[in-house]
Amino acid sequence: MRWILLIGGLLLSTPPALANDSMAELGAGGLTYVQTSDVAMEEENLYISREEVLVDYAFRNTGDKDIESVVAFPMPDIVGSLESDIALDDVESDNFLGFSVVQDSRQIKPELQQRVIAAGIDRTDELLARNIPLLPYSEKTFAALKSLPEDVKAEWIAEGLIYVDRYDAGQGWQEDLRPAWTLRSVYWWKTVFPAGKPVRVSHRYKPSVGGTVAMSFIDQGKPGATYKEYVERYCIDSAFMKTAAKLEAAASRSGPNYTEQWVSYILTTGANWSGPIGKFKLTIDKGQPQDYVSFCGSGVKKTDPTTFEVKAQDFSPEKDLHILFLAAADR
């Protein structure tokens, strides 16, 4: 429980992101993303909330021959350290965000590639050779590290693969070995894009939601420490700042305390397909009418008390999507 609480409590830096499907090939070093001039993304329908992300795609092979390829979906990196900024509900599962995919109405069981990186070096094979689980926050991983030979422990500490965590849990100072590596996971599956025919792919997962215990971009009604970064990242404007100032003032009078929550989504891998995205639709659901949301988008329309919509034709994603939610702490 101690480690799960730490993961959830240290969400003060930039949150991790998830990505669009991307064309890929299995190369010597693992998956490598490639551009294609033959398969176009005709449509993307993207729904994002703090509870779920749903994406529906329509692809078309514009060439005159069938194309067999690999479609890949990268998961966010999990960084093994006390400064990790990823929020996970299940630290014991390889599929830690509950990713699932359907293609042309058929459920697909994708393959999972996982690699461990420490100090810029791939150390996956060494961990597997010693039966060390790759998930940085798994209790099984902690137990396996504890049972390592002493010379291996010393070597891995010196190389920055693991570190010694010293803490007082009420019974005097204790020491445990913890992972310092980064886990990179990619789901992938082989598929055929028939010449001239559409291929429909849908996937869903629970997003990793970062957050703070208070609003950091405003301080006593004025721009706070992160204001400039938030203007760039989330496109907060004067109206949003006025609302935040009112919420801040209300909290000082025993009103609800509003906190920040973040979700990010990598849109730019959509450019790996042939040409722009023909039809693009983004729906963002803030969850509760009393919550607030800010993100960068053109032509944003509010479609009901909690949802906002962006539509575009021939859309070429040049920036990734970052969403800021303000939610009452007691929700």
Side-chain angles (χ1 to χ4, degrees):
M1 285 300 297
R2 175 174 177 272
W3 279 88
I4 294 175
L5 291 173
L6 281 173
I7 295 168
L10 293 169
L11 300 172
L12 299 177
S13 44
T14 302
L18 294 163
N20 259 329
D21 283 357
S22 180
M23 207 75 159
E25 62 184 5
L26 287 172
L31 286 172
T32 304
Y33 304 109
V34 297
Q35 289 189 329
T36 174
S37 60
D38 298 310
V39 180
M41 187 186 294
E42 291 191 322
E43 188 172 350
E44 177 176 1
N45 191 338
L46 171 61
Y47 169 91
I48 299 177
S49 72
R50 282 163 288 180
E51 285 71 38
E52 190 171 38
V53 174
L54 306 173
V55 195
D56 294 317
Y57 302 99
F59 301 102
R60 185 178 295 272
N61 175 0
T62 58
D64 56 5
K65 295 181 180 179
D66 293 355
I67 296 176
E68 182 177 14
S69 187
V70 170
V71 177
F73 185 89
M75 305 294 279
D77 288 354
I78 302 181
V79 180
S81 77
L82 288 176
E83 299 178 355
S84 177
D85 61 1
I86 189 169
L88 298 176
D89 288 335
D90 187 356
V91 296
E92 302 293 339
S93 173
D94 286 330
N95 191 3
F96 48 85
L97 297 182
F99 176 77
S100 64
V101 59
V102 172
Q103 181 171 314
D104 292 331
S105 301
R106 181 174 61 88
Q107 189 79 38
I108 291 175
K109 185 178 181 180
E111 301 289 338
L112 176 61
Q113 173 185 279
Q114 292 182 310
R115 308 303 297 177
V116 163
I117 307 298
I121 300 173
D122 191 321
R123 307 294 294 271
T124 311
D125 293 342
E126 294 173 70
L127 266 64
L128 294 177
R130 293 191 175 274
N131 298 315
I132 306 295
L134 304 184
L135 289 165
Y137 296 104
S138 169
E139 290 294 336
K140 294 179 181 178
T141 304
F142 301 158
L145 291 178
K146 189 175 182 179
S147 64
L148 283 171
E150 293 301 320
D151 60 333
V152 175
K153 291 179 183 178
E155 180 181 348
W156 284 10
I157 291 171
E159 294 172 344
L161 185 58
I162 59 177
Y163 67 95
V164 179
D165 177 33
R166 296 181 176 89
Y167 60 94
D168 185 353
Q171 299 178 344
W173 286 97
Q174 298 176 233
E175 292 187 355
D176 288 319
L177 292 177
R178 302 302 188 195
W181 65 73
T182 295
L183 177 64
R184 293 178 180 168
S185 304
V186 178
Y187 278 103
W188 63 272
W189 60 98
K190 289 184 178 180
T191 193
V192 174
F193 295 93
K197 294 182 180 180
V199 172
R200 298 189 178 277
V201 176
S202 301
H203 59 66
R204 63 175 57 199
Y205 54 87
K206 181 177 176 61
S208 173
V209 182
T212 65
V213 296
M215 293 184 291
S216 65
F217 61 90
I218 193 166
D219 184 7
Q220 298 182 13
K222 297 180 180 180
T226 62
Y227 172 75
K228 290 184 179 180
E229 175 189 347
Y230 279 37
V231 170
E232 174 68 22
R233 188 174 182 83
Y234 304 111
C235 290
I236 61 175
D237 56 16
S238 58
F240 195 81
M241 287 294 288
K242 289 179 181 178
T243 297
K246 291 179 180 179
L247 297 176
E248 184 184 47
S252 68
R253 300 190 299 269
S254 300
N257 178 48
Y258 274 77
T259 65
E260 298 177 18
Q261 293 181 329
W262 322 299
V263 173
S264 293
Y265 189 90
I266 297 175
L267 282 172
T268 49
T269 51
N272 286 356
W273 304 88
S274 175
I277 301 171
K279 294 181 181 180
F280 176 77
K281 178 182 176 182
L282 168 66
T283 302
I284 293 180
D285 190 341
K286 66 178 182 177
Q288 300 290 333
Q290 66 268 27
D291 291 350
Y292 300 88
V293 65
S294 185
F295 60 95
C296 299
S298 178
V300 179
K301 293 183 179 180
K302 188 173 183 179
T303 54
D304 66 37
T306 67
T307 59
F308 300 82
E309 189 175 278
V310 175
K311 291 183 177 179
Q313 296 279 344
D314 297 326
F315 177 59
S316 297
E318 297 179 353
K319 292 184 178 181
D320 296 324
L321 177 64
H322 306 286
I323 308 166
L324 168 66
F325 298 93
L326 299 184
D330 58 354
R331 72 181 292 268

